[in-house]
Amino acid sequence: MSEKKQIWEEKYLQPFLSKNPERAERFMTDSGIEIQRIYTPVPIPEEYPGEFPYTRGILPTMYRGKLWTMRQYAGFSTAEESNKRYHYLLSQGTMGLSVAFDLPTQIGYDSDHDFADGEVGKVGVAIDTLRDMETLFKGIELEKITTSMTINATASTLLCMYVALAKKQGADLKKISGTIQNDILKEYAARGTYIYPPKPSMRLITDIFEWCSNELPKWNTISISGYHIREAGATAAQELAFTLSNGKSYVKAAIERNLDINVFGQQLSFFFNAHNNFFEEIAKFRAARRMWAKIMKDFGATNPRAMMLRFHTQTGGSTLTAQQPENNIIRVTLQALSAVLGGTQSLHTNGYDEAISLPTEKAAQIALRTQQIIAYESGVADTVDPLAGSYFVESLTQQIEEKANEYIRIIDEMGGSVNAIEQGYIQDEIARSAYLYQRGIEEGSKIIVGVNKFTTKEEKYTDALRIDDSIRQVQIQKIQQVKQERNAQEVEKALQNIHHAATGTENLIPHILYAVEQYATLGEIADTLRKVWGEYQQAR
């Protein structure tokens, strides 16, 4: 302790505390980092935005040159209905689209499969064939937008449908930009929409890396996701650690395929959650850039762009409450602001009613306006890394990094993320944090406004968006029509080619692309791979 701080404590602090006790004995972040009463200067390296290790941002001018991409996550019911929402969002100033797919699409079942009953179009849009993709983007030029697709196990098929549509539009594939999530490891650890075992799933991902490096150079081939890890109950430090550890596994797999880290490294992106603890989230984003730059440098990357961590952020879905749903507008605003202050490249803001249903048009508009007000009215985008030099933020950035690196060290000693997942380590750590968080809410040590404090008697919320079960019949009719019109022999040939490639080492993407161009269904392609690779079963 410095002499000046000791004098301050004796002269001002202790006499004040004797008459004015603090609200709690200890104040903690959600990651268990103790928050000090005050922060004094700490050694801070002289770093600048746009230079290694990119703590202060990946671009020298950040938002002074170009604002983050304002995305709105949308997709529900049929492709026709989702297309209407996309046109509305684009008319309101959305810069990029973010597509949500329904559960059957995510796990490789067509809408007419028995397992799809009751789920078609519910949590996202149903996509069974290229015909649906054509409808989804009707009237939208793919060269002029960026599209993010939250899809993992079937990411290769959905990407190929998007590419096939771009080709039909006459687009230059070298100019097509966007992202597929394509992060299967977090599915095993936190979310559950996997199909195949880890090894063939990783092979499919590296096939995408390789193909896109040559054919789709502006496309982000993976969005390594901490979002769903956080939604499952992880802390900020765990979200960061487990996400970057998964990223290391993908990089190792690509290197083993003899891919150039300086090429495929430029097509990696990340997807983080913006949660409620404002300063901890900002510190997490800053630490993420610094940690990833060092990780990639250790792997041998020399291209600066291959060392830059570029990330999309979505405000925390699990933080939204069904009680007093309008309060979620404030939560989303603070979370979005933390992402901007942390230097995000794109941002999705949740609708205030998403704890109750898919967002209504009104909720989606307010969510977008939230970003626009931050961008154009708050002034926070007018300078780079506004909180740099804050004693608190700089200290917290360092502590988050240290805590995350300790988790990564443990995972590395276990042989990497795949082994850590197979042994249940990551799942157990997430479950433990989720339990402690929920216990804090139930005991009242963690205050959630409108839930366990400041509650009111509420009327039933009546504006929820509902999806009719008849959607499934609409999709089944579409599938039947496509099957009647397509060339069945070409489809069978395409599926046989996929089967043959899956049994060997040939890149699967050209074969999947040909299959979707022949209007093979998503389920037919997934089933072909199931026959070769089987399905993954979690150890019980």
Side-chain angles (χ1 to χ4, degrees), residues 6 10 30 37 49 56 105 164 171 200 217 250 274-275 363 386 397 510:
Q6 186 173 357
E10 292 174 354
D30 291 338
R37 183 176 291 109
R56 301 198 61 189
T105 303
Y250 294 125
H275 222 261
T397 301

Side-chain angles (χ1 to χ4, degrees), residues 128-131 134 156-165 494-495 498 509-522 525:
D128 294 305
T129 69
L130 175 57
R131 184 75 51 82
E134 292 165 357
S156 56
T157 302
L158 272 299
L159 173 63
C160 285
M161 288 184 182
Y162 193 85
V163 170
L165 175 58
L495 296 176
I498 291 174
I509 305 307
H511 299 296
I512 295 173
L513 177 58
Y514 180 74
V516 302
E517 288 178 325
Q518 304 310 310
Y519 291 87
T521 71
L522 176 130
I525 294 168

Side-chain angles (χ1 to χ4, degrees), residues 186-245:
K186 66 93 173 54
E187 297 295 331
Y188 302 119
R191 191 163 176 263
T193 60
Y194 46 76
I195 302 175
Y196 320 110
K199 287 184 179 178
S201 294
M202 292 290 281
R203 177 258 178 102
L204 198 52
I205 288 169
T206 52
D207 279 355
I208 292 171
F209 286 1
E210 183 178 57
W211 188 83
C212 287
S213 292
N214 298 317
E215 305 295 334
L216 223 63
K218 293 184 70 175
W219 194 268
N220 296 322
T221 53
I222 193 168
S223 177
I224 306 163
S225 175
Y227 183 86
H228 303 94
I229 290 171
R230 191 64 177 280
E231 290 290 281
T235 66
Q238 288 173 334
E239 177 193 358
L240 181 53
F242 300 156
T243 305
L244 297 192
S245 186

Side-chain angles (χ1 to χ4, degrees), residues 2 4 39 98 100 102 126 197 277 301 303 318 331 420 468 506 536:
S2 68
K4 187 171 183 178
Y39 286 81
S98 189
D102 73 357
N277 197 307
N303 186 328
S318 63
R331 293 187 179 100
D468 196 299
E506 189 179 357
Y536 180 67

